[in-house]
Amino acid sequence: MTDSTAPHRQDGPDWWRQAAVYQIYPRSFADADGDGLGDIAGAASRMSYLSELGVDAVWLSPFYPSALADGGYDVADYRNVDPRLGTLDDFDAMVAEAHRFSIKVIVDIVPNHTSDDHEWFQAALRAGPGSPERERYVFRQGKGQDGELPPTDWQSMFGGPAWSRLPDGWWYLHLFAPEQPDLNWDHPDVHADFKKTLRFWSDRGVDGFRIDVANALTKDLTEPLRDVGGISIEEQMATVEDGQHPFLDRDEVHEIYREWREVFNEYDPPRVGVAEAWVKKERLVRYASPEGLGQAFNFDYLKTGWSAPELRSVIDVSLRTARAAGASATWVLSNHDVIRHASRFALAEDADPEAWLLSGGTQPVADRERGLRRARAATMLELALPGSAYMYQGEELGLPEAAELAEGDLQDPVWERSSHTRKGRDGCRVPLPWTREGESFGFGGTPWLPQPSYFGELSVEAQEGDETSTLELYREALRLRHKLVGTDESLEWIGSQETEEAGVLHFVRPDGWHCVTNFSSETKPLPAGEVLLSSGPLGDEGLPGETTVWLRDGAEG
Ligand code: NOJ
């Protein structure tokens, strides 16, 4: 049995600053009752695996009651567990098990929208136009002679208008699927209810919260509502910057997070928050402020291609931004919304360069081996950076995007709402393979998304003990990281612009911990120093292409 006191993990109020956080997508992680849907007891049963992997915390994507119109991000009841995934008792047992291994637990909070099954929305439908029940959402009359046109030109993130019309002729707002009506954050009930939810989970021992679409909660609902020129929400997210957009990144959203900070600080240690906010870098600081959520996801590494100079500039800007906020930096290479990085780093020439989000398996992958080689190098670089690394389940197995899913198997609303032009995110959500053989490769039951036949070779069982495997690389990298990471969040670059242009990034952390990545495909000189770990075989010639090495001391010059 693994040592449950895990001395390497940080305690105290700053535990999150350089944590390695593992994202569990509960329905695809481990299925204890064999119904083909991952569950809370399944997650609990794998805490020893996660402890051995060396993670400091888990973040669970939503496990709340939900009709699964958007993979659980359509929440019908914020203070309960989906009966298909377990009970509140199972949840408590899972938290206890995680804490037994000194693993912290972060849960997902979805405050921009509820499910249309939520009791508030159902009450709003019943109560009819003009009722106080409808005030908790955004209901409007349409334009056109008979109100047959949506109230504004706002587009949904999943494609199509952000408004749907009810049989009574009124329209309601949903920035995502129609089954995800947007809440009205001008309403006091909404504020009160989310504070209740934060306390509910904090009282059950949850250590922190990941805040979904943290940049869209507040809207300018003064009449007449403003059009935005019909451009897609993705384009707007990339350009909005003055805090005055009708529904994205508005300045007053931070008043909500100041209220939540007060709730977080009622606990010892204070609960932590991390914002999912797709906003311009300069504005991310506000979400990460210690008076607000405290940390924000930085998706820039994830959006950067395989390029040393581009990544260098992303790292510099990200560290500067985090420092300005008083937060630590965050790094993400994969999550449940994007093409897995083992596939993303090897997209074919004709792939859409903007395809990292939502398009998933529609993009052609050129070379799986190369993708994995680069992914391993990118991960080692990520794990050497100051700040928190957010990893996504299955990346430790080097899983590729499951591009083989048949159209009939797709569940992501993106597929229908994009008129079958974007396959969506199911390819990164396929249940994990635990064993080499057997039904669902040890996941349990007939999986809700079919696993490709090669998943068995990538299973935990197949990789365990094989020191060339990706699983053992992650284990060793995380073990070393715990030894090497101190409280100092600094980094110093070694080498010049020329070395970057030649495809090499080299930096050193305090105590002589060097990280060198060769982005090119040619072998480059290996700096001096004791080799601690490398993402691929080193050979005698130097540092092979598409490889990262960690070295200790003596590497200068
Ligand atoms: C971001 C989540 O990560 C994504 O999966 C979800 O579809 C949207 N927010 C809407 O909740």
Side-chain angles (χ1 to χ4, degrees), residues 31 86 168 172 190 200 208 227 255 273 280 283 285 326 335 337 360 362 375 382 449 505 509 543 545:
D31 171 21
D168 63 25
Y172 69 90
V190 177
F200 178 86
D227 280 343
E255 288 163 24
K280 291 202 95 171
R283 296 189 50 94
V285 183
N335 65 27
D337 289 330
T362 27
E382 174 190 51
L449 279 173
L505 282 190
R509 297 286 309 274
L543 180 57

Side-chain angles (χ1 to χ4, degrees), residues 51-55 376 379-380 383 396 466-484 513 530-535 550:
S51 174
E52 217 169 308
L53 180 60
V55 307
R376 290 165 57 112
T379 297
M380 271 189 64
L383 293 178
E396 78 279 18
D466 169 1
E467 62 178 32
T468 64
S469 73
T470 304
L471 176 59
E472 294 299 345
L473 177 74
Y474 268 70
R475 284 179 173 169
E476 186 56 10
L478 287 165
R479 191 187 68 78
L480 284 167
R481 178 182 153 102
H482 279 120
K483 269 177 51 186
L484 297 165
W513 173 21
E530 176 203 348
V531 173
L532 298 174
L533 186 65
S534 65
S535 65
W550 289 355

Side-chain angles (χ1 to χ4, degrees), residues 25 59 70 73-74 108 110 113 157-158 176 180 210 212-213 276 278 335-337 358 412-413 425 429:
Y25 194 73
W59 145 36
D70 179 20
Y73 284 89
D74 45 321
D108 221 307
V110 188
H113 43 262
M157 182 71 190
F158 295 149
F176 293 86
Q180 295 168 295
R210 177 262 189 194
D212 189 63
V213 211
E276 186 223 21
W278 296 83
N335 65 27
H336 65 295
D337 289 330
L358 299 183
D412 189 357
R425 301 161 293 181
R429 299 176 176 181

Side-chain angles (χ1 to χ4, degrees), residues 157-171:
M157 182 71 190
F158 295 149
W163 298 93
S164 286
R165 197 171 195 199
L166 294 168
D168 63 25
W170 283 66
W171 297 76

